[in-house]
């Protein structure tokens, strides 16, 4: 299974981030796997876990909201084309069953 988070920038360009099996942390802390240097993002905002049984999103800061398709969540399963938003940053989830991932820039 190949999983990417695709971020669309204000100018319409996109950046893609390949996620690895196991746990990926997202936040403003430099040690996070996906470092987002924006003050409104919590140091450890959320994490995504990839396991054989699925892909899960977990909010890691009780004072910060993590949104899935515009709904605040604590924990939920991710599906292809879901939208994950933390602060002003939104990612589209790209899940492929094979290892071939097309990088869009």
């Amino acid at each position: 299974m190949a999983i990417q988070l695709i971020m669309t920038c204000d100018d319409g360009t996109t950046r893609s981030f390949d996620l690895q099996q196991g746990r990926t942390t997202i936040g403003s802390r430099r040690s996070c796997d996906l470092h987002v240097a924006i003050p409104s993002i919590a140091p450890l905002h959320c994490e995504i876990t990839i396991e054989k049984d699925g892909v899960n999103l977990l909010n890691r800061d009780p004072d910060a909201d993590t949104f899935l398709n515009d709904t605040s969540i604590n924990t939920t399963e991710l599906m292809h084309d879901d939208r994950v938003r933390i602060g002003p940053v939104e990612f589209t989830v790209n899940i492929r069953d094979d290892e071939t991932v097309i990088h869009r820039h």
Side-chain angles (χ1 to χ4, degrees):
M1 182 182 329
I3 301 166
Q4 286 182 315
L5 292 182
I6 301 170
M7 180 177 70
T8 303
C9 302
D10 290 337
D11 63 3
T13 61
T14 60
R15 292 181 62 190
S16 59
F17 304 94
D18 295 326
L19 302 185
Q20 304 301 317
Q21 192 78 11
R23 183 178 96 146
T24 300
T25 56
I26 303 171
S28 61
R29 184 183 304 152
R30 288 192 179 275
S31 61
C32 285
D33 300 311
L34 184 49
H35 173 238
V36 183
I38 296 175
S40 61
I41 305 294
L44 177 55
H45 202 106
C46 62
E47 70 181 48
I48 295 174
T49 57
I50 303 169
E51 299 174 354
K52 292 178 187 173
D53 60 342
V55 182
N56 294 295
L57 173 65
L58 172 68
N59 185 50
R60 294 293 304 219
D61 188 319
D63 297 323
D65 286 321
T66 299
F67 293 90
L68 176 68
N69 302 324
D70 298 322
T71 301
S72 182
I73 62 94
N74 286 320
T75 184
T76 189
E77 185 174 359
L78 290 176
M79 305 298 233
H80 181 71
D81 279 341
D82 276 344
R83 291 175 293 112
V84 174
R85 182 168 50 85
I86 58 170
V89 180
E90 185 171 281
F91 300 95
T92 301
V93 179
N94 186 354
I95 300 175
R96 298 280 181 241
D97 289 330
D98 58 58
E99 292 300 320
T100 303
V101 177
I102 299 171
H103 294 273
R104 291 178 263 172
H105 297 279

